[in-house]
Amino acid sequence: MTPAPSKTCPQCGTTYEQDVKFCPRDGSPLRALREDGSLVGEVLAGRYEVLQRLGAGGMGEVYLAEHVKMHRACAVKVMNRLLTSDTEAVARFNREAANASRINHTNVANIYDFGETPEGLIFLAMEYIDGESLSALLDREGSLTPGRAAAIGRQIADALVAAHDLGIVHRDLKPDNIMISRTRDGRDLVKVVDFGIAKASLGIGQEVTRTGFVVGTPEYMSPEQFVGIGVDARSDVFAVGCIMYKMLTGQLAYPGRLAEGRFRERIGEPPPRPSEASPRVPRTLDTLVMKAMAFDPDERFQTALELRDALALEQDSPSQTRRAIRIVRLSRRVWFGAGAIAGVALLIALGMSWRNSPTQPAGSATATDTTAAIAPPTDSLLPGPPPSSSAARPGENTPAAAEPAPAVSAP
């Protein structure tokens, strides 16, 4: 049976069981005895208990941790020990903490803490996002429906609006830096992370790169980033266009393997339209993506706000279509009901008309006949003897008057 990992106090050197967090003698946070260098089990900076390793990148490792007093889950990014002597890398780490902490928006991961441990570890504590990266989602799904892609793209642009309002340009937007979680009603919730190479144009001493040094991810970099000139908010707009292209088609807009090849593509012919790779992409969304990826920054959406509003219209269009279909169906039911009522009314009217027709069975009198029987004939207004009770009604044939008998003389 393998013994449970133990911990040691960095001050007095006493060893304790795994579930102990602080040294009972001097109150120092205990360190886990691990040969792989993992921080799982340690209490980082005396306040973050490291629970699980989430991943690693070029800058360092990311852990799931919990604040020992607030009991709040968070993601702790710990800088690689080998980079702590690199002033450029440390400056980038500092920028991420400084820039992201200024942005207060639903679609940007919150920064809780930043500092350095007594052992020299530089860390960044941020909001823990219970979800997956957009790149992992696309690896699994391949591509997304136009409505879902528009909804995710709108939230990315909304996060950029908040950043750009503060003069912060992300400069490294890509599916790896976009986390997707779920709201309570099951909708996608976007969180933009990693403002490590973001440039704060309103700040002082915020230059990101050395002269002539290009940073970013080539698949999503704007043409101006390749030459290192004129980078502004429209460069982020270009990246969102490339991300939208990937979400809609499952393919990269610029799939070349070498950075030089990608640069030549950007200054040459534009990539195929998304609708050519995926026929289900609607024309309006197809045009939107191509405008966002225009080579000339002046031909793109000029602000993230413009892009967000355009994507909001595309996101709402499916619901508007469903609403229109419901209205049409309801209208059909109303017209059908009105037609049925009109038909019944017509049948009743025809029945009443049939009852009042002049062709009636013998012995039945209509209203017209009754009036004629009561009213005297027109001839009775002329002078002369009144008509006898046996006088025929108007319209009936009367026998001819009898000729007077000839007088007979006496013999």
Side-chain angles (χ1 to χ4, degrees):
M1 182 176 180
T2 304
S6 58
K7 295 180 179 180
T8 183
C9 175
Q11 299 295 329
C12 64
T14 306
T15 302
Y16 298 94
E17 297 296 329
Q18 180 66 24
D19 56 348
V20 181
K21 301 177 183 179
F22 297 91
C23 178
R25 296 182 178 179
D26 50 38
S28 300
L30 301 181
R31 300 187 61 180
L33 298 177
R34 292 179 178 273
E35 297 180 357
D36 57 1
S38 174
L39 298 177
V40 175
E42 293 192 20
V43 179
L44 194 67
R47 52 189 180 274
Y48 297 104
E49 182 184 5
V50 181
L51 304 176
Q52 178 185 347
R53 184 176 180 272
L54 298 176
M59 292 292 292
E61 296 179 312
V62 180
Y63 294 91
L64 171 63
E66 183 182 77
H67 197 285
V68 294
K69 294 183 178 180
M70 301 175 65
H71 302 289
R72 178 178 63 184
C74 59
V76 176
K77 180 185 292 187
V78 180
M79 189 174 184
N80 192 317
R81 296 174 187 266
L82 300 177
L83 296 177
T84 54
S85 58
D86 186 337
T87 56
E88 181 69 24
V90 174
R92 173 177 173 177
F93 216 78
N94 291 338
R95 275 193 300 271
E96 179 172 5
N99 291 332
S101 63
R102 294 170 55 200
I103 307 172
N104 183 18
H105 193 272
T106 305
N107 298 122
V108 177
N110 292 322
I111 300 296
Y112 298 146
D113 196 3
F114 173 74
E116 184 175 353
T117 68
E119 296 78 25
L121 292 178
I122 300 176
F123 71 94
L124 175 66
M126 68 182 71
E127 176 184 2
Y128 171 66
I129 302 165
D130 187 11
E132 61 182 342
S133 66
L134 179 58
S135 59
L137 174 63
L138 293 176
D139 287 343
R140 187 178 68 254
E141 301 289 341
S143 63
L144 306 180
T145 62
R148 188 180 185 187
I152 292 176
R154 182 196 62 77
Q155 294 182 68
I156 298 172
D158 212 14
L160 292 177
V161 171
H164 294 170
D165 285 346
L166 297 173
I168 299 173
V169 182
H170 193 288
R171 292 169 48 114
D172 193 24
L173 277 174
K174 55 187 176 182
D176 284 337
N177 291 338
I178 298 167
M179 299 296 295
I180 308 294
S181 62
R182 292 283 184 173
T183 61
R184 291 185 177 181
D185 57 0
R187 293 180 298 171
D188 292 315
L189 177 60
V190 169
K191 295 285 187 177
V192 178
V193 300
D194 194 3
F195 284 80
I197 64 172
K199 178 181 180 181
S201 60
L202 300 181
I204 300 176
Q206 283 280 350
E207 288 300 324
V208 178
T209 63
R210 304 178 183 92
T211 303
F213 186 71
V214 178
V215 296
T217 304
E219 292 89 347
Y220 303 94
M221 285 173 58
S222 64
E224 57 269 23
Q225 282 180 269
F226 274 99
V227 295
I229 59 172
V231 176
D232 57 22
R234 294 172 296 181
S235 298
D236 285 347
V237 169
F238 184 93
V240 176
C242 294
I243 294 171
M244 289 293 303
Y245 194 103
K246 174 72 172 178
M247 288 193 291
L248 290 169
T249 67
Q251 304 174 14
L252 293 172
Y254 299 99
R257 291 182 177 275
L258 298 177
E260 294 79 2
R262 294 190 183 100
F263 175 71
R264 285 195 294 269
E265 290 175 355
R266 282 161 173 73
I267 64 175
E269 294 295 326
R273 302 181 72 89
S275 59
E276 297 179 18
S278 178
R280 67 177 179 176
V281 178
R283 180 177 58 84
T284 53
L285 195 54
D286 190 63
T287 303
L288 182 152
V289 172
M290 296 304 293
K291 181 177 181 179
M293 292 194 306
F295 171 77
D296 186 351
D298 291 336
E299 296 179 0
R300 301 174 200 156
F301 294 98
Q302 295 302 290
T303 64
L305 180 61
E306 291 182 11
L307 177 60
R308 183 200 67 183
D309 292 345
L311 285 167
L313 292 176
E314 291 297 325
Q315 176 189 353
D316 294 339
S317 59
S319 61
Q320 291 175 351
T321 302
R322 290 191 294 269
R323 185 162 56 250
I325 292 174
R326 289 195 296 267
I327 292 175
V328 170
R329 290 176 177 173
L330 179 61
S331 300
R332 288 177 178 175
R333 294 191 186 102
V334 171
W335 279 107
F336 178 80
I341 294 174
V344 172
L346 179 61
L347 292 175
I348 294 174
L350 290 174
M352 293 180 64
S353 176
W354 177 79
R355 289 187 60 191
N356 295 334
S357 63
T359 305
Q360 297 292 335
S364 62
T366 63
T368 304
D369 296 333
T370 304
T371 304
I374 296 175
T378 306
D379 293 344
S380 63
L381 301 177
L382 300 177
S388 62
S389 60
S390 61
R393 295 174 181 173
E396 292 183 353
N397 295 327
T398 55
E403 294 292 336
V408 179
S409 59

PDB file of all heavy atoms in Angstrom, residues 127-133 148 155 178-183 186-191:
ATOM      1  N   GLU A 127     -10.422  34.302 -11.789  1.00  0.00           N
ATOM      2  CA  GLU A 127     -11.709  33.605 -11.746  1.00  0.00           C
ATOM      3  C   GLU A 127     -11.575  32.211 -12.338  1.00  0.00           C
ATOM      4  O   GLU A 127     -11.009  32.035 -13.427  1.00  0.00           O
ATOM      5  CB  GLU A 127     -12.731  34.423 -12.530  1.00  0.00           C
ATOM      6  CG  GLU A 127     -14.098  33.789 -12.665  1.00  0.00           C
ATOM      7  CD  GLU A 127     -15.033  34.613 -13.531  1.00  0.00           C
ATOM      8  OE1 GLU A 127     -14.597  35.666 -14.051  1.00  0.00           O
ATOM      9  OE2 GLU A 127     -16.199  34.216 -13.695  1.00  0.00           O
ATOM     10  N   TYR A 128     -12.106  31.226 -11.628  1.00  0.00           N
ATOM     11  CA  TYR A 128     -12.110  29.860 -12.148  1.00  0.00           C
ATOM     12  C   TYR A 128     -13.338  29.681 -13.035  1.00  0.00           C
ATOM     13  O   TYR A 128     -14.468  29.957 -12.619  1.00  0.00           O
ATOM     14  CB  TYR A 128     -12.126  28.837 -11.014  1.00  0.00           C
ATOM     15  CG  TYR A 128     -12.340  27.426 -11.503  1.00  0.00           C
ATOM     16  CD1 TYR A 128     -11.383  26.785 -12.285  1.00  0.00           C
ATOM     17  CD2 TYR A 128     -13.522  26.744 -11.198  1.00  0.00           C
ATOM     18  CE1 TYR A 128     -11.583  25.497 -12.748  1.00  0.00           C
ATOM     19  CE2 TYR A 128     -13.724  25.445 -11.645  1.00  0.00           C
ATOM     20  CZ  TYR A 128     -12.753  24.826 -12.422  1.00  0.00           C
ATOM     21  OH  TYR A 128     -12.957  23.554 -12.886  1.00  0.00           O
ATOM     22  N   ILE A 129     -13.114  29.233 -14.246  1.00  0.00           N
ATOM     23  CA  ILE A 129     -14.184  29.066 -15.223  1.00  0.00           C
ATOM     24  C   ILE A 129     -14.438  27.578 -15.403  1.00  0.00           C
ATOM     25  O   ILE A 129     -13.573  26.845 -15.895  1.00  0.00           O
ATOM     26  CB  ILE A 129     -13.808  29.723 -16.565  1.00  0.00           C
ATOM     27  CG1 ILE A 129     -13.514  31.209 -16.340  1.00  0.00           C
ATOM     28  CG2 ILE A 129     -14.926  29.553 -17.583  1.00  0.00           C
ATOM     29  CD1 ILE A 129     -12.804  31.863 -17.499  1.00  0.00           C
ATOM     30  N   ASP A 130     -15.603  27.158 -15.004  1.00  0.00           N
ATOM     31  CA  ASP A 130     -15.975  25.746 -15.110  1.00  0.00           C
ATOM     32  C   ASP A 130     -16.479  25.482 -16.521  1.00  0.00           C
ATOM     33  O   ASP A 130     -17.665  25.529 -16.804  1.00  0.00           O
ATOM     34  CB  ASP A 130     -17.051  25.411 -14.072  1.00  0.00           C
ATOM     35  CG  ASP A 130     -17.353  23.924 -14.027  1.00  0.00           C
ATOM     36  OD1 ASP A 130     -16.587  23.144 -14.638  1.00  0.00           O
ATOM     37  OD2 ASP A 130     -18.352  23.538 -13.392  1.00  0.00           O
ATOM     38  N   GLY A 131     -15.551  25.242 -17.413  1.00  0.00           N
ATOM     39  CA  GLY A 131     -15.922  25.010 -18.812  1.00  0.00           C
ATOM     40  C   GLY A 131     -14.726  24.503 -19.587  1.00  0.00           C
ATOM     41  O   GLY A 131     -13.854  23.816 -19.052  1.00  0.00           O
ATOM     42  N   GLU A 132     -14.668  24.873 -20.849  1.00  0.00           N
ATOM     43  CA  GLU A 132     -13.590  24.445 -21.725  1.00  0.00           C
ATOM     44  C   GLU A 132     -13.222  25.582 -22.667  1.00  0.00           C
ATOM     45  O   GLU A 132     -13.989  26.536 -22.839  1.00  0.00           O
ATOM     46  CB  GLU A 132     -14.002  23.212 -22.530  1.00  0.00           C
ATOM     47  CG  GLU A 132     -15.200  23.449 -23.445  1.00  0.00           C
ATOM     48  CD  GLU A 132     -15.610  22.202 -24.202  1.00  0.00           C
ATOM     49  OE1 GLU A 132     -14.795  21.265 -24.295  1.00  0.00           O
ATOM     50  OE2 GLU A 132     -16.749  22.166 -24.694  1.00  0.00           O
ATOM     51  N   SER A 133     -12.064  25.471 -23.268  1.00  0.00           N
ATOM     52  CA  SER A 133     -11.645  26.480 -24.225  1.00  0.00           C
ATOM     53  C   SER A 133     -12.417  26.314 -25.530  1.00  0.00           C
ATOM     54  O   SER A 133     -12.935  25.235 -25.840  1.00  0.00           O
ATOM     55  CB  SER A 133     -10.143  26.382 -24.487  1.00  0.00           C
ATOM     56  OG  SER A 133      -9.845  25.155 -25.144  1.00  0.00           O
ATOM     57  N   ARG A 148     -25.148  29.878 -33.231  1.00  0.00           N
ATOM     58  CA  ARG A 148     -24.287  29.718 -32.059  1.00  0.00           C
ATOM     59  C   ARG A 148     -22.964  30.450 -32.256  1.00  0.00           C
ATOM     60  O   ARG A 148     -22.451  31.087 -31.328  1.00  0.00           O
ATOM     61  CB  ARG A 148     -24.039  28.236 -31.790  1.00  0.00           C
ATOM     62  CG  ARG A 148     -23.323  27.968 -30.478  1.00  0.00           C
ATOM     63  CD  ARG A 148     -23.102  26.476 -30.242  1.00  0.00           C
ATOM     64  NE  ARG A 148     -22.514  26.233 -28.921  1.00  0.00           N
ATOM     65  CZ  ARG A 148     -22.095  25.040 -28.502  1.00  0.00           C
ATOM     66  NH1 ARG A 148     -22.196  23.974 -29.298  1.00  0.00           N
ATOM     67  NH2 ARG A 148     -21.571  24.909 -27.294  1.00  0.00           N
ATOM     68  N   GLN A 155     -20.264  37.906 -27.929  1.00  0.00           N
ATOM     69  CA  GLN A 155     -19.728  38.053 -26.572  1.00  0.00           C
ATOM     70  C   GLN A 155     -18.235  38.367 -26.587  1.00  0.00           C
ATOM     71  O   GLN A 155     -17.747  39.129 -25.740  1.00  0.00           O
ATOM     72  CB  GLN A 155     -20.005  36.774 -25.776  1.00  0.00           C
ATOM     73  CG  GLN A 155     -21.485  36.524 -25.524  1.00  0.00           C
ATOM     74  CD  GLN A 155     -21.710  35.275 -24.678  1.00  0.00           C
ATOM     75  OE1 GLN A 155     -21.367  35.223 -23.506  1.00  0.00           O
ATOM     76  NE2 GLN A 155     -22.289  34.256 -25.279  1.00  0.00           N
ATOM     77  N   ILE A 178     -10.107  31.818 -25.211  1.00  0.00           N
ATOM     78  CA  ILE A 178     -11.541  32.059 -25.047  1.00  0.00           C
ATOM     79  C   ILE A 178     -12.143  30.842 -24.358  1.00  0.00           C
ATOM     80  O   ILE A 178     -12.131  29.730 -24.907  1.00  0.00           O
ATOM     81  CB  ILE A 178     -12.219  32.305 -26.402  1.00  0.00           C
ATOM     82  CG1 ILE A 178     -11.628  33.563 -27.064  1.00  0.00           C
ATOM     83  CG2 ILE A 178     -13.723  32.453 -26.240  1.00  0.00           C
ATOM     84  CD1 ILE A 178     -11.999  33.720 -28.508  1.00  0.00           C
ATOM     85  N   MET A 179     -12.640  31.051 -23.165  1.00  0.00           N
ATOM     86  CA  MET A 179     -13.237  29.975 -22.393  1.00  0.00           C
ATOM     87  C   MET A 179     -14.755  30.006 -22.544  1.00  0.00           C
ATOM     88  O   MET A 179     -15.365  31.086 -22.580  1.00  0.00           O
ATOM     89  CB  MET A 179     -12.861  30.099 -20.921  1.00  0.00           C
ATOM     90  CG  MET A 179     -11.368  30.021 -20.651  1.00  0.00           C
ATOM     91  SD  MET A 179     -10.677  28.409 -21.108  1.00  0.00           S
ATOM     92  CE  MET A 179     -11.532  27.341 -19.938  1.00  0.00           C
ATOM     93  N   ILE A 180     -15.342  28.819 -22.625  1.00  0.00           N
ATOM     94  CA  ILE A 180     -16.788  28.687 -22.795  1.00  0.00           C
ATOM     95  C   ILE A 180     -17.355  27.922 -21.606  1.00  0.00           C
ATOM     96  O   ILE A 180     -16.985  26.769 -21.358  1.00  0.00           O
ATOM     97  CB  ILE A 180     -17.152  27.939 -24.094  1.00  0.00           C
ATOM     98  CG1 ILE A 180     -16.448  28.583 -25.305  1.00  0.00           C
ATOM     99  CG2 ILE A 180     -18.658  27.918 -24.285  1.00  0.00           C
ATOM    100  CD1 ILE A 180     -16.907  29.975 -25.626  1.00  0.00           C
ATOM    101  N   SER A 181     -18.221  28.573 -20.868  1.00  0.00           N
ATOM    102  CA  SER A 181     -18.964  27.899 -19.799  1.00  0.00           C
ATOM    103  C   SER A 181     -20.448  27.993 -20.125  1.00  0.00           C
ATOM    104  O   SER A 181     -20.828  28.394 -21.228  1.00  0.00           O
ATOM    105  CB  SER A 181     -18.655  28.527 -18.437  1.00  0.00           C
ATOM    106  OG  SER A 181     -19.054  29.885 -18.412  1.00  0.00           O
ATOM    107  N   ARG A 182     -21.293  27.616 -19.165  1.00  0.00           N
ATOM    108  CA  ARG A 182     -22.741  27.589 -19.411  1.00  0.00           C
ATOM    109  C   ARG A 182     -23.464  28.439 -18.383  1.00  0.00           C
ATOM    110  O   ARG A 182     -23.103  28.467 -17.205  1.00  0.00           O
ATOM    111  CB  ARG A 182     -23.270  26.153 -19.329  1.00  0.00           C
ATOM    112  CG  ARG A 182     -22.776  25.252 -20.448  1.00  0.00           C
ATOM    113  CD  ARG A 182     -23.505  25.530 -21.731  1.00  0.00           C
ATOM    114  NE  ARG A 182     -23.112  24.617 -22.794  1.00  0.00           N
ATOM    115  CZ  ARG A 182     -23.703  24.562 -23.972  1.00  0.00           C
ATOM    116  NH1 ARG A 182     -24.708  25.367 -24.238  1.00  0.00           N
ATOM    117  NH2 ARG A 182     -23.277  23.723 -24.895  1.00  0.00           N
ATOM    118  N   THR A 183     -24.509  29.123 -18.844  1.00  0.00           N
ATOM    119  CA  THR A 183     -25.391  29.831 -17.927  1.00  0.00           C
ATOM    120  C   THR A 183     -26.394  28.840 -17.344  1.00  0.00           C
ATOM    121  O   THR A 183     -26.436  27.671 -17.739  1.00  0.00           O
ATOM    122  CB  THR A 183     -26.140  30.959 -18.660  1.00  0.00           C
ATOM    123  OG1 THR A 183     -26.940  30.392 -19.709  1.00  0.00           O
ATOM    124  CG2 THR A 183     -25.154  31.955 -19.266  1.00  0.00           C
ATOM    125  N   GLY A 186     -28.513  27.143 -19.822  1.00  0.00           N
ATOM    126  CA  GLY A 186     -27.846  26.301 -20.815  1.00  0.00           C
ATOM    127  C   GLY A 186     -27.197  27.035 -21.963  1.00  0.00           C
ATOM    128  O   GLY A 186     -26.667  26.393 -22.883  1.00  0.00           O
ATOM    129  N   ARG A 187     -27.193  28.348 -21.961  1.00  0.00           N
ATOM    130  CA  ARG A 187     -26.569  29.097 -23.050  1.00  0.00           C
ATOM    131  C   ARG A 187     -25.056  29.208 -22.855  1.00  0.00           C
ATOM    132  O   ARG A 187     -24.548  29.085 -21.744  1.00  0.00           O
ATOM    133  CB  ARG A 187     -27.185  30.488 -23.156  1.00  0.00           C
ATOM    134  CG  ARG A 187     -28.642  30.500 -23.585  1.00  0.00           C
ATOM    135  CD  ARG A 187     -29.156  31.927 -23.654  1.00  0.00           C
ATOM    136  NE  ARG A 187     -29.110  32.570 -22.338  1.00  0.00           N
ATOM    137  CZ  ARG A 187     -29.327  33.852 -22.149  1.00  0.00           C
ATOM    138  NH1 ARG A 187     -29.566  34.660 -23.176  1.00  0.00           N
ATOM    139  NH2 ARG A 187     -29.282  34.358 -20.919  1.00  0.00           N
ATOM    140  N   ASP A 188     -24.340  29.465 -23.957  1.00  0.00           N
ATOM    141  CA  ASP A 188     -22.891  29.642 -23.888  1.00  0.00           C
ATOM    142  C   ASP A 188     -22.553  30.963 -23.200  1.00  0.00           C
ATOM    143  O   ASP A 188     -23.169  32.000 -23.487  1.00  0.00           O
ATOM    144  CB  ASP A 188     -22.287  29.646 -25.294  1.00  0.00           C
ATOM    145  CG  ASP A 188     -22.383  28.285 -25.970  1.00  0.00           C
ATOM    146  OD1 ASP A 188     -22.089  27.280 -25.305  1.00  0.00           O
ATOM    147  OD2 ASP A 188     -22.745  28.235 -27.161  1.00  0.00           O
ATOM    148  N   LEU A 189     -21.571  30.916 -22.308  1.00  0.00           N
ATOM    149  CA  LEU A 189     -21.071  32.117 -21.651  1.00  0.00           C
ATOM    150  C   LEU A 189     -19.578  32.210 -21.932  1.00  0.00           C
ATOM    151  O   LEU A 189     -18.813  31.322 -21.577  1.00  0.00           O
ATOM    152  CB  LEU A 189     -21.318  32.071 -20.145  1.00  0.00           C
ATOM    153  CG  LEU A 189     -20.769  33.261 -19.338  1.00  0.00           C
ATOM    154  CD1 LEU A 189     -21.394  34.563 -19.807  1.00  0.00           C
ATOM    155  CD2 LEU A 189     -21.002  33.054 -17.845  1.00  0.00           C
ATOM    156  N   VAL A 190     -19.177  33.296 -22.586  1.00  0.00           N
ATOM    157  CA  VAL A 190     -17.796  33.479 -23.022  1.00  0.00           C
ATOM    158  C   VAL A 190     -17.007  34.240 -21.963  1.00  0.00           C
ATOM    159  O   VAL A 190     -17.502  35.194 -21.352  1.00  0.00           O
ATOM    160  CB  VAL A 190     -17.767  34.249 -24.361  1.00  0.00           C
ATOM    161  CG1 VAL A 190     -16.350  34.678 -24.706  1.00  0.00           C
ATOM    162  CG2 VAL A 190     -18.345  33.391 -25.473  1.00  0.00           C
ATOM    163  N   LYS A 191     -15.760  33.802 -21.754  1.00  0.00           N
ATOM    164  CA  LYS A 191     -14.819  34.502 -20.888  1.00  0.00           C
ATOM    165  C   LYS A 191     -13.493  34.629 -21.652  1.00  0.00           C
ATOM    166  O   LYS A 191     -12.862  33.629 -21.991  1.00  0.00           O
ATOM    167  CB  LYS A 191     -14.584  33.736 -19.586  1.00  0.00           C
ATOM    168  CG  LYS A 191     -15.799  33.623 -18.681  1.00  0.00           C
ATOM    169  CD  LYS A 191     -16.099  34.916 -17.968  1.00  0.00           C
ATOM    170  CE  LYS A 191     -17.211  34.745 -16.950  1.00  0.00           C
ATOM    171  NZ  LYS A 191     -17.485  35.992 -16.184  1.00  0.00           N
TER     172      LYS A 191
END
